[in-house]
Amino acid sequence: MVGSARQGLPSWIGAATVTRKMEIDNNMVKEESLCKRSSNPKISDAELSFGERAFSAAGAAVISSIIVNPLDVAKVRLQAQAAGVPYDGFHRMACFESSTMLQDVKYMPSSACTQPTCSPECTRYKGTLDVFYKVVRQEGFSRLWTGTNASLALAVPSVGIYMPLYDIFRNYMEELTSQNAPTVTPYVPLVAGSLARSVACISCYPVELARTRMQAFKHNQASVKPPGVWKTLIDAVSDIKSSKNPQAIQSYRILWTGLGAQLARDVPFSAVCWSLLEPLRRRILSGLGNEASLPSVLGVNFCAGLLAGSIAAASTCPLDVARTRRQIEKDPTRALTMTTRQTLVEIWRDGGIKGFFTGAGARVARAGPSVGIVVSFYEVVKHALHQRQMTE
């Protein structure tokens, strides 16, 4: 394993230390000092149990979910608005000239409908800050945290599966490739991240669907509590049961609507993120020139996660827009038959290249700090567990 040269440290710290040792190989005094320090017995990162890893990751995800949720709401609102979701407070389909709720929706007030109290511009979102302002003004400050309960419900199983599996896959594949195919080792984070994210995404997808729907649709009465996770999922199933095809299997299949788009977004995101994050944090740590400490673990992981997460979020934004459209689709037939490719074609037709990057600012502003918080907190807790085990 790459990190086995420094027993007791995560593999990425061990690899950075090995690199630093090679750079000063000609300095015999420093090399001897490193050899002495490396002989100290420590607990290996691979010896942490799955439960300890899951605890570290879940705690990180809970903190991240609470902090960045307003940015998630802003991103989803901007993408849903581009898809045609009305935010003027009147959701009667008779007031709109469209075959579906999301495709080619146009504001068409008629004498049969209640007239809006202000112009469409006063409820149309123009950007991330505009979403914040109008949500607070029209719905209340607490609505910026709509879907937080779903995010928290998603954090423990999703990230609690994702991060530990990534560690396990990475450690196993790095050990395997370093012995049999060293040239493949740099690509291990890409593969490990993709596999781990796929498992986490499939297992927790219905809660992800509920969160997006909770954030996308507006609730005008601030005094009325918006529907929670279970109510949102029950409503999604009820929409299918009330359609022309009320078969049970079709009803519950709706809970995985957009899973293909979610995987199409999350797998490349994880691949890009981890393939950038791993070499970044190893390079930064090797440049510090000192032993791994709590502040350095925190700082290195947050900086590397912030940069890697921002780049990954920007590069996968078109797939995120497609995922949002799939998840908020209200028409039962389209929800069950549309594909990710067809959705991307619709986005291009409706908004061109600009449509692919709707909400990109909010997505990047959310994803960068989120990855930084999750990864740094996760590694800090693991570091603390190492220290506790060494003292026992």
Side-chain angles (χ1 to χ4, degrees):
M1 185 170 65
V2 174
S4 61
R6 296 300 309 276
Q7 210 176 21
L9 298 175
S11 63
W12 61 272
I13 295 180
T17 310
V18 171
T19 301
R20 189 165 66 248
K21 184 171 183 286
M22 292 174 62
E23 290 174 352
I24 62 173
D25 194 36
N26 293 328
N27 190 324
M28 298 302 295
V29 175
K30 291 184 179 180
E31 181 178 1
E32 183 180 357
S33 176
L34 277 172
C35 289
K36 289 180 179 179
R37 287 198 297 269
S38 65
S39 63
N40 295 331
K42 294 183 179 180
I43 303 298
S44 173
D45 173 64
E47 292 178 16
L48 280 177
S49 68
F50 186 88
E52 289 173 320
R53 296 176 192 273
F55 171 77
S56 305
V62 167
I63 294 174
S64 174
S65 298
I66 295 173
I67 293 175
V68 304
N69 197 80
L71 287 165
D72 210 26
V73 171
K75 180 207 71 170
V76 172
R77 288 286 180 99
L78 290 169
Q79 292 176 348
Q81 176 179 258
V85 173
Y87 286 114
D88 59 359
F90 301 99
H91 299 283
R92 297 181 184 178
M93 294 304 293
C95 299
F96 299 91
E97 185 178 64
S98 173
S99 58
T100 72
M101 184 174 182
L102 304 178
Q103 185 178 357
D104 298 330
V105 176
K106 300 178 181 179
Y107 182 78
M108 296 289 292
S110 65
S111 58
C113 301
T114 305
Q115 295 296 325
T117 57
C118 63
S119 66
E121 283 301 313
C122 75
T123 54
R124 182 168 182 80
Y125 302 129
K126 300 175 184 178
T128 302
L129 295 179
D130 193 47
V131 174
F132 291 160
Y133 171 74
K134 288 176 179 175
V135 168
V136 171
R137 181 184 176 188
Q138 297 167 9
E139 304 174 58
F141 184 76
S142 63
R143 292 294 195 262
L144 290 177
W145 276 267
T146 300
T148 302
N149 56 342
S151 297
L152 296 177
L154 190 67
V156 175
S158 178
V159 181
I161 293 171
Y162 174 40
M163 296 293 289
L165 280 183
Y166 169 74
D167 264 359
I168 292 169
F169 290 156
R170 182 201 61 200
N171 291 341
Y172 173 77
M173 287 189 285
E174 281 187 342
E175 182 175 5
L176 186 66
T177 57
S178 63
Q179 295 175 358
N180 302 300
T183 57
V184 181
T185 302
Y187 303 99
V188 164
L190 186 150
V191 179
S194 300
L195 289 175
R197 189 60 195 170
S198 298
V199 175
C201 179
I202 293 171
S203 60
C204 306
Y205 184 75
V207 180
E208 179 74 36
L209 175 72
R211 180 177 66 170
T212 301
R213 290 197 172 204
M214 291 165 66
Q215 293 173 339
F217 299 115
K218 185 176 180 180
H219 304 282
N220 298 300
Q221 298 179 350
S223 60
V224 178
K225 186 178 180 181
V229 177
W230 287 113
K231 180 66 164 61
T232 303
L233 294 176
I234 290 171
D235 288 345
V237 174
S238 299
D239 290 340
I240 300 297
K241 285 185 176 180
S242 61
S243 65
K244 294 181 180 180
N245 192 356
Q247 296 176 356
I249 189 162
Q250 292 283 36
S251 300
Y252 292 101
R253 182 183 153 204
I254 195 70
L255 298 180
W256 276 267
T257 297
L259 176 60
Q262 178 89 11
L263 289 171
R265 182 201 71 168
D266 282 5
V267 172
F269 177 91
S270 293
V272 172
C273 183
W274 287 111
S275 61
L276 291 173
L277 192 150
E278 286 289 356
L280 271 174
R281 64 182 178 183
R282 290 175 181 178
R283 182 176 291 274
I284 294 173
L285 189 68
S286 66
L288 294 178
N290 55 14
E291 289 293 308
S293 61
L294 193 64
S296 64
V297 170
L298 177 64
V300 166
N301 280 281
F302 183 80
C303 292
L306 179 68
L307 183 58
S310 299
I311 294 173
S315 62
T316 57
C317 192
L319 294 164
D320 183 63
V321 176
R323 180 213 66 135
T324 300
R325 285 210 182 193
R326 292 295 315 281
Q327 290 181 335
I328 65 176
E329 178 61 63
K330 287 284 191 175
D331 182 83
T333 303
R334 283 172 54 85
L336 293 172
T337 59
M338 283 291 289
T339 64
T340 302
R341 179 181 174 278
Q342 290 172 324
T343 305
L344 289 170
V345 170
E346 281 191 0
I347 295 170
W348 174 262
R349 184 198 63 201
D350 294 343
I353 190 68
K354 185 178 179 180
F356 282 138
F357 291 91
T358 303
R363 172 166 166 76
V364 172
R366 176 203 178 281
S370 180
V371 172
I373 292 169
V374 169
V375 174
S376 59
F377 185 92
Y378 178 62
E379 293 295 340
V380 164
V381 173
K382 288 202 309 180
H383 185 81
L385 290 173
H386 288 154
Q387 300 301 319
R388 188 194 68 180
Q389 292 180 9
M390 284 188 294
T391 58
E392 291 179 354

